Amino acid sequence: MAGRSSPPILTDCFSCQARQRTEWCVLNEDDLKRINDAKKSRQCLPGEVLYHQGDACRGIVCIESGMIGIRKIDADGNSVLLGLAYPGDTLGYRALLMAQDHEVSAEVLKKGSVCLIGEATVRSLLDHNPSLGHRFLWRAVKDLGEAENKFLESVTLTVRARFAHLLLILKDRYATDVEDGAISLELPLSRQDLAAMIGIRPETMSRTIRQFEDDGIAHFSGRTVHVPRIASLLDEFEHEDYL
Amino acid sequence: MAGRSSPPILTDCFSCQARQRTEWCVLNEDDLKRINDAKKSRQCLPGEVLYHQGDACRGIVCIESGMIGIRKIDADGNSVLLGLAYPGDTLGYRALLMAQDHEVSAEVLKKGSVCLIGEATVRSLLDHNPSLGHRFLWRAVKDLGEAENKFLESVTLTVRARFAHLLLILKDRYATDVEDGAISLELPLSRQDLAAMIGIRPETMSRTIRQFEDDGIAHFSGRTVHVPRIASLLDEFEHEDYL
DNA sequence: CGCCAGGTTGATTTCGCTCAAGCAATGTGG
DNA sequence: CCACATTGCTTGAGCGAAATCAACCTGGCG
């Protein structure tokens, strides 16, 4: 499914809606022009892989629209979704900075468009614009904190608790409808991808969803979830065992 | 055990052995003088806590000698050792950059000396010396990669495999004696801290060590370990199930 | 229509946690 | 100096959560 190359499109950094949210918002007119000239935009479709784990890093990817999944696969073929990336996020900066191959894959989950910016351009901008480096530093530090939390959770919390937490996180972005304590959300992910996000097997995901149904914590129908009481998710998440 | 404040000592950044390995190696004479004047050095003893999870961040800590453990504790009291820090490592930069409280504790594991550098000094140096920011960026990106690997391992590998990997990592620093495939190492950690590093219970650590003994993979006596064949550790680590 | 990927469900197993006891080394106060 | 806590480590018994193996059931899609 991957690899069918999509048509290039015309996008303009100056009018890019996502730019405000990116690390690039600190660029001045000149720098913005440089990046605008150097970048290549293109559409991308679900299933497409922007870069594979192990690929040489040729530059970075800036998401204008759509959704990208960051996936990591170990030697035994276990696949884990390390995170989701949205418009304004910049991908691949880590491999670029470490000057090594990509350690993760970036896979399109929802159709959208991305811009590719070559290694040389990025390096030159970084060298000559300190505040750009600061933004990336800030970003890396934030990601680092989240990664450490995930490790902590994976070794201390049960699957139920981790799934509850995942739903709480997805809520912030996907809650379509909120009324005093009750929410409903449209998940952007398949069941297997949900499973991959908390590092469990698809079967276990199914069963955990079943449990939440039976316990009245949430109702699942396709990719839409209805949670009558957000508080119950919080209970599951933090109140591991309330005795 | 914590909190008995140790005597300040005199240390000079210019002659600091650890500096070559730090982010600060990019400082010029002037900056080095500023940091040298602003810093406060002191000895620290095992058990002492340099800063607690939840403390406000007042600056950063630079390790001149000794060993520091980075610990994170969740709401239920589960303690995990996220990493070890050595001479040349700089701690607390994350809380400082994010301008928030420390998310982890830094606990002295081996006697040594550290330098404390105030928030204002660090910020001013960062603002006015771009390459310092680049060094920290590089460092954060490296830590991020490691953190993600730990998450991946925790959800895919067995305890045996994770422990084998931990030994392989400790080997690089603590292998006291190597002869064609056989090594012996002096662990810097108690059993419970070893357990905390891979997110398991002390009892499980005991049993895993027992297994390694029984399988002839390693021999443990106190804190010294003898591994007749390093290859067997590698097998445990990557060859999860070879059938 | 057959095929296949995604999802659910059931039966079974296994790995690691919990609870509990015991033990050696160390410390501590009378 | 001994009686005693205390702390770190080990071991056992039992349990429970999640993985594994396997069947089956959809809903697209050629």
Side-chain angles (χ1 to χ4, degrees):
Chain A
M1 302 310 143
R4 51 173 163 4
S5 102
S6 307
I9 52 172
L10 288 178
T11 319
D12 182 16
C13 290
F14 289 93
S15 61
C16 176
Q17 292 299 320
R19 200 184 85 238
Q20 321 307 332
R21 275 167 284 171
T22 71
E23 282 74 21
W24 314 102
C25 69
V26 296
L27 296 187
N28 59 32
E29 287 274 319
D30 281 356
D31 288 342
L32 205 51
K33 176 153 178 21
R34 286 181 59 198
I35 209 171
N36 192 37
D37 292 346
K39 73 149 196 328
K40 296 222 186 316
S41 308
R42 45 184 279 248
Q43 301 258 195
C44 53
L45 296 166
E48 190 179 341
V49 177
L50 299 177
Y51 52 82
H52 277 96
Q53 191 171 342
D55 282 357
C57 174
R58 292 202 169 66
I60 58 170
V61 180
C62 193
I63 310 179
E64 193 194 352
S65 64
M67 178 168 107
I68 314 285
I70 306 302
R71 207 178 282 274
K72 180 149 188 164
I73 304 183
D74 74 3
D76 303 337
N78 298 86
S79 157
V80 164
L81 253 194
L82 288 175
L84 304 175
Y86 301 102
D89 287 341
T90 297
L91 306 178
Y93 70 97
R94 290 166 40 191
L96 185 137
L97 287 165
M98 300 286 288
Q100 62 184 23
D101 295 344
H102 287 291
E103 287 192 335
V104 295
S105 305
E107 172 189 331
V108 179
L109 296 178
K110 265 158 80 174
K111 159 175 169 323
S113 64
V114 297
C115 294
L116 311 171
I117 306 166
E119 182 171 2
T121 309
V122 180
R123 281 197 198 289
S124 132
L125 285 170
L126 268 176
D127 280 347
H128 131 289
N129 193 334
S131 46
L132 185 59
H134 285 167
R135 299 291 297 215
F136 274 107
L137 175 51
W138 195 85
R139 163 73 185 282
V141 164
K142 186 161 153 291
D143 289 351
L144 178 51
E146 284 170 11
E148 288 183 345
N149 269 331
K150 279 175 67 170
F151 173 69
L152 186 64
E153 285 191 9
S154 75
V155 298
T156 56
L157 300 187
T158 64
V159 164
R160 269 182 85 107
R162 281 189 273 157
F163 184 46
H165 191 200
L166 177 59
L167 288 178
L168 285 168
I169 292 172
L170 292 174
K171 163 184 81 79
D172 294 335
R173 192 175 284 264
Y174 296 101
T176 54
D177 165 38
V178 186
E179 56 169 51
D180 65 331
I183 57 168
S184 88
L185 43 160
E186 187 74 24
L187 296 184
L189 296 167
S190 69
R191 310 273 152 133
Q192 7 188 35
D193 281 343
L194 288 174
M197 287 211 72
I198 53 180
I200 62 175
R201 304 282 140 191
E203 298 98 314
T204 307
M205 183 81 269
S206 259
R207 288 185 237 273
T208 308
I209 286 176
R210 195 67 160 65
Q211 286 179 34
F212 276 22
E213 291 266 6
D214 292 349
D215 297 350
I217 294 174
H219 180 252
F220 295 77
S221 137
R223 287 189 174 187
T224 64
V225 190
H226 185 76
V227 182
R229 292 190 333 116
I230 318 186
S232 52
L233 284 182
L234 273 169
D235 287 351
E236 286 297 330
F237 171 44
E238 38 204 18
H239 247 317
E240 187 63 14
D241 46 358
Y242 41 107
L243 208 281
Chain B
M1 298 306 156
R4 51 171 162 8
S5 103
S6 307
I9 53 171
L10 289 178
T11 320
D12 182 16
C13 290
F14 289 93
S15 61
C16 175
Q17 291 299 321
R19 200 184 87 238
Q20 320 307 331
R21 273 168 285 170
T22 72
E23 282 75 21
W24 314 102
C25 69
V26 296
L27 295 187
N28 60 32
E29 287 274 316
D30 282 354
D31 289 342
L32 205 52
K33 177 156 179 20
R34 286 181 59 197
I35 210 171
N36 192 38
D37 293 344
K39 73 151 195 325
K40 297 218 184 321
S41 306
R42 46 183 281 250
Q43 301 259 196
C44 54
L45 296 167
E48 191 178 341
V49 176
L50 298 178
Y51 53 83
H52 277 96
Q53 190 170 345
D55 283 357
C57 174
R58 290 202 171 67
I60 58 170
V61 179
C62 193
I63 309 178
E64 193 194 351
S65 63
M67 177 167 108
I68 314 286
I70 306 304
R71 208 179 282 274
K72 180 148 191 165
I73 305 184
D74 73 5
D76 304 336
N78 299 86
S79 158
V80 163
L81 253 194
L82 287 174
L84 304 175
Y86 301 102
D89 286 341
T90 298
L91 306 178
Y93 71 97
R94 290 167 40 191
L96 185 137
L97 287 165
M98 300 285 288
Q100 63 184 25
D101 296 344
H102 288 290
E103 286 192 335
V104 295
S105 306
E107 170 189 332
V108 179
L109 297 178
K110 267 158 79 173
K111 157 175 170 316
S113 63
V114 297
C115 294
L116 310 173
I117 306 167
E119 183 172 1
T121 309
V122 179
R123 280 195 200 289
S124 129
L125 284 171
L126 267 177
D127 280 346
H128 130 290
N129 193 333
S131 46
L132 185 60
H134 284 166
R135 298 292 297 214
F136 274 107
L137 175 52
W138 195 84
R139 163 74 184 282
V141 164
K142 188 160 153 290
D143 289 351
L144 178 52
E146 285 171 10
E148 288 184 344
N149 268 330
K150 278 176 69 169
F151 172 69
L152 186 65
E153 286 191 8
S154 74
V155 297
T156 56
L157 300 186
T158 63
V159 165
R160 270 180 83 109
R162 283 189 273 157
F163 183 46
H165 191 200
L166 177 60
L167 289 177
L168 284 168
I169 291 171
L170 292 173
K171 164 183 80 80
D172 293 336
R173 192 175 285 263
Y174 296 102
T176 54
D177 165 36
V178 185
E179 55 169 50
D180 64 334
I183 57 168
S184 87
L185 43 160
E186 187 75 24
L187 297 184
L189 297 166
S190 69
R191 310 273 153 137
Q192 2 190 37
D193 282 342
L194 288 174
M197 287 211 72
I198 53 179
I200 62 174
R201 307 280 140 189
E203 298 98 316
T204 307
M205 184 81 267
S206 260
R207 288 185 236 274
T208 308
I209 286 176
R210 193 69 158 65
Q211 285 180 34
F212 276 23
E213 292 266 6
D214 292 350
D215 297 352
I217 294 174
H219 179 252
F220 296 77
S221 137
R223 288 189 174 187
T224 64
V225 189
H226 186 77
V227 181
R229 291 192 332 119
I230 319 186
S232 52
L233 285 182
L234 273 169
D235 287 351
E236 286 297 329
F237 171 44
E238 38 203 19
H239 247 316
E240 189 62 15
D241 47 356
Y242 42 107
L243 207 283

